[in-house]
């Protein structure tokens, strides 16, 4: 191949990886929390306020930058048509980020191209790209910082990009801090422009939170900490880890407590990393940054009992980078190893993600969205309140004012949790009198059933088993193989 052809290989790889991800849009697998961000963006359009319920200010979304990006996509494409363009935009940014990462770790364009494709087909890469969360933007910004700020040493990058990164998610202080420490140890000098960039980033994020919301950190962080806080014994900590560690290092989380597959992957990642950094290579600088960051972030979030798997998507794929490098740089029978790696790892992972996305897309887009659409037709007064969990699909498509069990979109329920955590749900119902309750439980057979029977009536039962059919026999098999969704009961307040 000619030299110009070699230079174009990463560009071809970019489009291959992007096209594969775009096919996943057909599954309608969109993360619940994305709809929280999108409702906040639409609330900004309708009321001029960053909030969730009318003119009340609240940082319901974990990301400020993505709220503004979503706001502009709503303005450009309209509320009915913005989702697909935004998901494609996220996928483009993530794939550009993978191209920048390839420039950090390879010199050969052929290796860059293969890396971009293999990296882009990993399950976390697909989820970052098409599930609607802010991580496509975040990954792009973080890789842009490493490439332009630390490889090309552009002053604008180390001054501007940290602010955009932290304005996307405040917990990215971990990434920015690890990058600073590795750079300090590696170069043995202080990069003052980067320090100024970090100060600017902190100032922008914290002052925006303080002057707009009257808080230092996002409400979402406070609410989750308050709702899920608990003292664990040593045994409970071990049981928690054993149940959830598949989120932390593996590409997939299998539905059982003990997952040896994840342990094998974690060990292989570590061995590949040790093998690579023992070689004298300038890329080791970036390998240290991404690998230390991957481990530190996961350990911090694990210690805080963070259950949500999207926190771990970026660390998962970054920790896997040494494995792909190792496979691509094997000298003996390289093509054989690469073929075996693709056939026995990449393709099964891609197939698993396809099945998972199809099943989850059915459980969320076809089923949970259906609940929101039902309520949208059933209740015409959009000033009525509903108490439920979670605050994604149903509030977004029903357009009702919302109280969520965790307090992400409504702060008043947090006061009830502080006063009486065991009875906060019932106390909220009594004090706030929401017109609708959407519960996983049968409230007429639970504790305090007499109160609910006296004040509420059952409107409709929503059952996931009723949404496992399809005219396509293959889709129906997948729906039944991996049913996704939760049964709900909808209650309406009785007029007296």
């Amino acid at each position: 191949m000619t030299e110009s052809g070699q230079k174009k290989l990463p560009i071809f790889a970019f489009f291959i990886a992007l096209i594969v991800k775009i096919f996943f849009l057909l599954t309608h697998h969109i993360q619940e929390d994305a709809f929280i961000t999108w409702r906040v963006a639409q609330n900004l359009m309708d009321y001029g306020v960053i909030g969730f319920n009318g003119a009340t200010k609240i940082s319901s979304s974990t990301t400020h930058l993505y709220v503004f990006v979503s706001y502009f996509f709503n303005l450009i494409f309209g509320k009915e048509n913005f989702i697909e363009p935004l998901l494609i935009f996220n996928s483009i940014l993530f794939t550009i980020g993978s191209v920048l990462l390839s420039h950090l770790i390879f010199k050969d364009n052929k290796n860059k191209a293969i890396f971009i494709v293999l990296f882009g087909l990993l399950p976390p890469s697909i989820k970052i790209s098409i599930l609607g969360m802010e991580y496509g933007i975040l990954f792009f910004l973080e890789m842009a910082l490493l490439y332009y700020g630390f490889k090309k040493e552009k002053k604008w990058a180390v001054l501007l990009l940290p602010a955009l990164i932290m304005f996307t998610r405040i917990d990215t202080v971990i990434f920015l801090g690890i990058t600073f420490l590795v750079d300090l140890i590696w170069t043995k000098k202080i990069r003052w422009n980067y320090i100024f960039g970090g100060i600017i980033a902190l100032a922008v994020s914290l002052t925006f939170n303080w002057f707009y919301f009257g808080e230092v950190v996002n409400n979402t962080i406070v609410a989750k900490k308050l709702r899920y806080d608990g003292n664990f014994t040593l045994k409970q900590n071990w049981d928690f880890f054993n149940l959830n560690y598949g989120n932390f290092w593996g590409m997939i989380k299998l539905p059982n407590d003990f997952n040896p597959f994840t342990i094998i992957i974690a060990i292989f990642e570590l061995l590949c990393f040790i093998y690579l950094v023992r070689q004298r290579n300038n890329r080791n600088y970036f390998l240290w940054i991404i690998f230390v960051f991957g481990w530190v972030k996961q350990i911090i979030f694990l210690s805080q009992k963070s259950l949500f798997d999207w926190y771990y998507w970026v660390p998962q794929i970054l920790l896997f980078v040494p494995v792909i490098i190792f496979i691509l740089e094997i000298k003996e029978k390289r093509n054989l190893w690469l073929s075996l790696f693709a056939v026995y790892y990449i393709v099964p992972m891609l197939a698993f993600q396809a099945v998972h996305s199809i099943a989850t897309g059915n459980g969320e887009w076809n089923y949970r969205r259906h609940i929101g659409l039902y309520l949208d037709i059933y209740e015409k007064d959009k000033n009525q309140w509903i108490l439920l969990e979670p605050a994604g699909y149903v509030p977004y498509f029903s357009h009702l004012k919302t109280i969520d069990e965790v307090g992400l979109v409504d702060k008043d329920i947090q006061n009830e949790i502080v006063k009486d955590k065991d009875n906060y749900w019932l106390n909220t119902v009594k004090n706030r009198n929401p017109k609708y309750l959407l519960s996983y439980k049968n409230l007429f057979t639970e504790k305090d059933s007499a109160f609910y029977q006296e004040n509420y009536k059952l409107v409709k039962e929503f059952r996931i088993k009723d949404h496992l059919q399809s005219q396509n026999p293959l889709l129906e098999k997948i729906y039944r193989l991996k049913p996704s969704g939760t049964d709900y009961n909808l209650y309406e307040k009785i007029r007296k």
Side-chain angles (χ1 to χ4, degrees):
M1 183 178 291
T2 63
E3 184 177 346
S4 62
Q6 286 275 354
K7 289 182 178 179
K8 292 179 181 178
L9 283 176
I11 299 175
F12 295 145
F14 167 87
F15 285 105
I16 292 171
L18 184 61
I19 290 169
V20 172
K21 290 173 197 157
I22 289 176
F23 271 114
F24 274 83
L25 295 180
L26 299 174
T27 68
H28 293 296
H29 182 193
I30 302 175
Q31 180 62 45
E32 181 91 29
D33 281 40
F35 286 96
I36 298 179
T37 298
W38 296 341
R39 170 146 165 174
V40 171
Q42 292 178 356
N43 197 84
L44 179 59
M45 290 178 63
D46 296 337
Y47 297 92
V49 170
I50 299 175
F52 198 88
N53 294 309
T56 303
K57 293 180 181 179
I58 184 172
S59 53
S60 300
S61 173
T62 54
T63 168
H64 296 321
L65 181 63
Y66 192 41
V67 165
F68 290 114
V69 171
S70 301
Y71 168 83
F72 284 113
F73 269 78
N74 272 273
L75 281 179
I76 296 168
F77 296 98
K79 292 181 180 179
E80 302 299 325
N81 304 304
F82 81 96
I83 293 179
E84 286 77 12
L86 181 55
L87 297 184
I88 293 172
F89 176 72
N90 288 344
S91 301
I92 291 171
L93 285 186
F94 174 81
T95 311
I96 293 173
S98 68
V99 173
L100 296 176
L101 178 57
S102 74
H103 292 328
L104 296 176
I105 56 181
F106 291 111
K107 294 180 179 178
D108 181 70
N109 283 314
K110 185 177 181 181
N111 279 346
K112 289 180 183 179
I114 298 173
F115 172 83
I116 292 165
V117 173
L118 295 180
F119 185 79
L121 299 183
L122 294 172
S125 301
I126 293 169
K127 288 184 281 191
I128 289 172
S129 298
I130 59 97
L131 263 65
M133 301 288 278
E134 64 271 18
Y135 290 97
I137 293 175
L138 182 60
F139 184 78
F140 163 74
L141 291 173
E142 290 176 338
M143 295 305 104
L145 174 64
L146 295 183
Y147 181 75
Y148 291 107
F150 290 88
K151 183 176 177 67
K152 297 296 185 180
E153 298 187 333
K154 303 292 185 182
K155 291 182 180 179
W156 65 264
V158 294
L159 289 171
L160 174 64
L161 291 177
L164 293 176
I165 289 170
M166 193 172 291
F167 203 58
T168 305
R169 287 191 65 92
I170 199 167
D171 56 35
T172 53
V173 67
I174 300 171
F175 174 82
L176 297 175
I178 293 298
T179 301
F180 171 77
L181 291 175
V182 173
D183 180 65
L184 178 64
I185 294 170
W186 188 274
T187 63
K188 295 180 175 60
K189 63 180 182 181
I190 297 176
R191 200 181 296 256
W192 289 105
N193 284 331
Y194 186 54
I195 290 180
F196 295 143
I199 293 172
I200 293 170
L202 278 172
V204 168
S205 297
L206 299 184
T207 55
F208 179 82
N209 277 350
W210 180 254
F211 285 106
Y212 193 84
F213 296 110
E215 58 196 19
V216 176
V217 297
N218 298 34
N219 172 69
T220 52
I221 298 174
V222 175
K224 289 175 182 176
K225 183 66 177 175
L226 180 65
R227 177 63 182 86
Y228 299 121
D229 190 27
N231 296 318
F232 283 66
T233 65
L234 182 61
K235 182 180 184 304
Q236 287 174 325
N237 275 311
W238 173 250
D239 290 341
F240 173 88
F241 171 80
N242 207 30
L243 181 63
N244 292 287
Y245 78 100
N247 277 337
F248 310 135
W249 293 284
M251 292 292 111
I252 59 175
K253 183 181 177 184
L254 298 176
N256 52 6
D257 290 356
F258 181 69
N259 181 357
F261 181 75
T262 294
I263 296 176
I264 293 171
I265 294 299
I267 293 173
F268 194 47
E269 288 172 348
L270 185 59
L271 291 176
C272 288
F273 173 75
I274 293 171
Y275 173 81
L276 292 174
V277 295
R278 290 182 66 185
Q279 304 172 10
R280 293 182 177 275
N281 196 310
N282 290 333
R283 72 174 173 209
N284 289 353
Y285 169 73
F286 297 106
L287 284 178
W288 276 106
I289 290 175
I290 64 177
F291 207 77
V292 172
F293 161 69
W295 274 93
V296 169
K297 178 168 182 179
Q298 292 188 131
I299 290 171
I300 290 175
F301 275 70
L302 171 62
S303 69
Q304 297 302 307
K305 307 293 186 300
S306 299
L307 294 170
F308 308 105
D309 66 326
W310 52 89
Y311 293 149
Y312 305 95
W313 291 343
V314 173
Q316 281 173 356
I317 54 172
L318 289 181
L319 288 175
F320 201 74
V321 167
V323 175
I324 302 178
I325 298 174
F326 177 77
I327 295 294
L328 289 178
E329 295 188 348
I330 291 176
K331 294 180 180 179
E332 296 290 334
K333 299 181 179 180
R334 174 181 178 273
N335 290 336
L336 174 62
W337 281 103
L338 183 58
S339 299
L340 292 173
F341 178 65
V343 170
Y344 289 102
Y345 189 81
I346 297 297
V347 171
M349 290 294 99
L350 189 62
F352 177 89
Q353 186 58 45
V355 170
H356 175 71
S357 289
I358 290 170
T360 307
N362 177 65
E364 295 186 348
W365 184 262
N366 294 340
Y367 170 62
R368 216 189 302 262
R369 182 177 68 108
H370 163 76
I371 301 175
L373 293 174
Y374 173 86
L375 272 164
D376 188 42
I377 297 172
Y378 185 84
E379 178 55 70
K380 300 300 183 183
D381 182 2
K382 303 309 174 186
N383 288 315
Q384 296 297 334
W385 289 82
I386 183 170
L387 172 59
L388 50 65
E389 178 64 26
Y393 278 87
V394 176
Y396 182 87
F397 288 102
S398 70
H399 304 99
L400 296 176
K401 291 188 174 181
T402 303
I403 309 167
D404 69 299
E405 292 181 6
V406 179
L408 299 182
V409 305
D410 184 275
K411 281 189 175 182
D412 289 342
I413 198 170
Q414 296 176 25
N415 298 327
E416 299 292 349
I417 294 174
V418 171
K419 288 189 291 185
D420 186 0
K421 193 170 185 177
D422 292 334
N423 300 295
Y424 80 96
W425 212 88
L426 176 64
N427 292 337
T428 298
V429 174
K430 289 181 176 179
N431 295 333
R432 302 284 295 277
N433 293 306
K435 185 173 182 179
Y436 296 99
L437 308 175
L438 187 65
S439 176
Y440 307 117
K441 302 175 182 178
N442 182 349
L443 298 180
F444 293 166
T445 61
E446 295 288 322
K447 179 186 175 184
D448 304 306
S449 60
F451 168 82
Y452 292 113
Q453 289 176 5
E454 180 181 351
N455 292 280
Y456 285 86
K457 63 180 180 180
L458 179 65
V459 175
K460 188 173 178 61
E461 296 178 340
F462 297 97
R463 298 293 180 260
I464 186 60
K465 64 181 178 62
D466 298 329
H467 288 260
L468 301 180
Q469 296 84 27
S470 173
Q471 294 181 349
N472 186 312
L474 178 59
L475 291 181
E476 183 164 320
K477 286 182 180 179
I478 292 174
Y479 295 163
R480 295 184 180 279
L481 173 68
K482 192 179 183 297
S484 178
T486 307
D487 292 340
Y488 285 103
N489 297 309
L490 176 64
Y491 302 89
E492 182 181 0
K493 190 169 182 60
I494 298 172
R495 292 184 181 181
K496 296 182 179 180

